[in-house]
């Protein structure tokens, strides 16, 4: 079994699934669908800091990361928003994520940081925009030959 052959497609799937889950959080909080914000069935009131703005980041960045468009920048913003959520919302209740219930924020922060560092993978809109294997195309170390 060659892990190199599977690494790029698995990265694309990881990016798409992570983006989809983040998008679902944004949809729930902005529109009150899928159970609403924190299962209340309600949307976060428009413009409320930081909840509505965090939900907007989840919605927009989740969609962009899911399809692999502007992936690295969107993943950095998503990672930063989850790091903010962890340190501002959860960490004051205790240092460890199991104590302060910040596991999801911490995992999302690290997952999006990984996506930002590794790129979108080959199954992404970014890869179609830059198919030559250039910066951000998700094809690290691509070798080209001249005729």
């Amino acid at each position: 079994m060659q892990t190199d052959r599977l690494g790029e497609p698995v990265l694309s799937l990881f990016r798409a699934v992570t983006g989809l889950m983040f998008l679902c959080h944004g949809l729930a909080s902005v529109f009150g669908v899928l159970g609403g914000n924190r299962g209340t069935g309600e949307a976060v009131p428009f413009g409320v800091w930081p909840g509505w703005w965090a939900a907007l980041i989840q919605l927009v960045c989740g969609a962009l990361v899911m399809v692999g468009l502007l992936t690295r920048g969107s993943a950095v913003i998503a990672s930063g928003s989850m790091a903010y959520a962890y340190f501002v919302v959860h960490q004051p209740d205790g240092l460890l994520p199991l104590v302060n219930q910040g596991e999801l924020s911490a995992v999302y922060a690290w997952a999006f940081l990984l996506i930002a560092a590794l790129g979108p993978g080959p199954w992404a809109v970014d890869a179609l925009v830059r198919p030559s294997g250039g910066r951000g195309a998700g094809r690290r170390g691509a070798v080209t030959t001249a005729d």
Side-chain angles (χ1 to χ4, degrees), residues 84-106:
Y84 176 88
Y86 180 78
F87 287 109
V88 172
V89 176
H90 298 285
Q91 201 272 331
D93 294 335
L95 180 62
L96 299 176
L98 288 174
V99 173
N100 64 30
Q101 300 177 351
E103 301 99 331
L104 191 57
S105 296

Side-chain angles (χ1 to χ4, degrees), residues 28-53:
S29 296
V30 171
F31 298 112
V33 298
L34 305 172
N37 182 45
R38 299 183 182 187
T40 63
E42 301 291 325
V44 176
F46 179 79
V48 172
W49 177 259
W52 187 84
W53 296 97

Side-chain angles (χ1 to χ4, degrees), residues 19 22-32 37 43-65 74 77-78 81-82 112:
F22 208 56
L23 170 63
C24 288
H25 282 283
L27 287 170
S29 296
V30 171
F31 298 112
N37 182 45
V44 176
F46 179 79
V48 172
W49 177 259
W52 187 84
W53 296 97
L56 185 63
I57 289 171
Q58 292 168 356
L59 181 72
V60 173
C61 292
L64 290 172
V65 168
S74 298
I77 293 168
S81 75
M82 289 294 96
F112 283 117

